[in-house]
Amino acid sequence: MADDRFFEALYRAVGEAYDRVPWAALEPRPALIEWLDCDPPAPGAAALVVACGLGDDAEELARRGCAVDAFDYAPTAIAEARRRFPQSVVDYRVADLLDLPRAWDRRFARVVEVQTIQSIPPADHRAAVAAIAATVAPGGKLFVRAAMRGEHDPAPHRPWPLKWSELEWFVDEGLTLTDRLSAYDDGVFVHLEYTR
Ligand SMILES: C[S@@+](CC[C@H](N)C(=O)[O-])C[C@H]1O[C@@H](n2cnc3c(N)ncnc32)[C@H](O)[C@@H]1O
């Protein structure tokens, strides 16, 4: 179980001044758009957005015809996503990545993970990777955007960028690295596709 009030406090503090949320792009991530353009999801495909924040990536999947679940640990993020997209068909909810509904096991054809693992203390990275991987259906695909650090570089404070050896845990969980959207890598973030 997570016990982290940092994000909830920040979302509350900024209210509707969304441009003050440091990580919020307020539009779908360009690498995600390309991933979807290159390999469009089947109509009605079940999709999950992990730690959806203010909802832009979830809305993009819904716009493309997916049946989207999206969750975040911060209730204010979920409230603001609903407020920003009042006509949304996305099923937004408050949930903890480290304690997801069992009904989500291997349920989703498309899973989107953008900068969540690095937002969780390193001691829980292994469990976070396992929880994300568990939601990917057989044949399903996972999009990952993550900040990286060197294998021996310290990560003394949040965010806690990932080491390559931590991304390898997706493979240990039964996924295969099937694509690199490296055109979008910028020296900090990598963009990857895994498939079950
Ligand atoms: C860096 S933000 C990224 C948000 C969103 N993916 C985006 O790209 O804007 C990290 C998000 O993870 C959420 N979060 C942190 N720990 C979580 C947990 N244990 N379960 C679910 N969400 C969590 C935070 O509330 C925050 O919205």
Side-chain angles (χ1 to χ4, degrees):
M1 289 266 193
D3 180 18
D4 187 343
R5 314 260 156 79
F6 171 86
F7 290 100
E8 173 61 11
L10 193 143
Y11 285 119
R12 267 198 212 186
V14 306
E16 291 182 54
Y18 304 126
D19 58 347
R20 291 177 52 208
V21 178
W23 52 86
L26 303 179
E27 60 185 13
R29 303 283 172 180
L32 175 65
I33 289 175
E34 172 153 335
W35 185 62
L36 295 169
D37 282 348
C38 289
D39 183 13
L48 178 68
V49 179
V50 173
C52 60
L54 297 173
D56 297 272
D57 290 340
E59 293 300 321
E60 180 63 18
L61 284 156
R63 195 181 68 74
R64 291 169 184 254
C66 294
V68 184
D69 286 284
F71 71 94
D72 201 285
Y73 187 62
T76 299
I78 294 301
E80 296 300 336
R82 290 187 180 128
R83 186 205 303 262
R84 292 180 68 215
F85 304 105
Q87 311 298 326
S88 180
V89 295
V90 173
D91 188 347
Y92 288 107
R93 73 175 75 177
V94 176
D96 179 359
L97 174 61
L98 303 181
D99 189 24
L100 292 182
R102 295 296 308 271
W104 285 0
D105 280 1
R106 300 198 176 203
R107 170 163 163 60
F108 296 96
R110 296 298 180 110
V111 178
V112 172
E113 149 54 5
V114 174
Q115 297 169 226
T116 312
I117 305 166
Q118 67 196 57
S119 302
I120 290 175
D124 286 327
H125 281 190
R126 184 72 184 81
V129 167
I132 293 168
T135 65
V136 182
K141 295 185 175 184
L142 165 67
F143 172 92
V144 174
R145 170 179 157 94
M148 301 302 296
R149 64 181 160 115
E151 209 55 45
H152 302 291
D153 292 346
H157 50 69
R158 78 172 70 235
W160 297 282
L162 278 65
K163 302 184 278 188
W164 277 106
S165 57
E166 295 177 292
L167 287 173
E168 282 294 314
W169 291 332
F170 282 115
V171 177
D172 296 343
E173 294 297 325
L175 306 187
T176 303
L177 179 61
T178 43
D179 204 358
R180 294 270 329 247
L181 293 109
S182 42
Y184 293 90
D185 294 358
D186 59 6
V188 176
F189 288 96
V190 296
H191 303 81
L192 308 166
E193 177 199 78
Y194 293 87
T195 302
R196 183 183 289 288

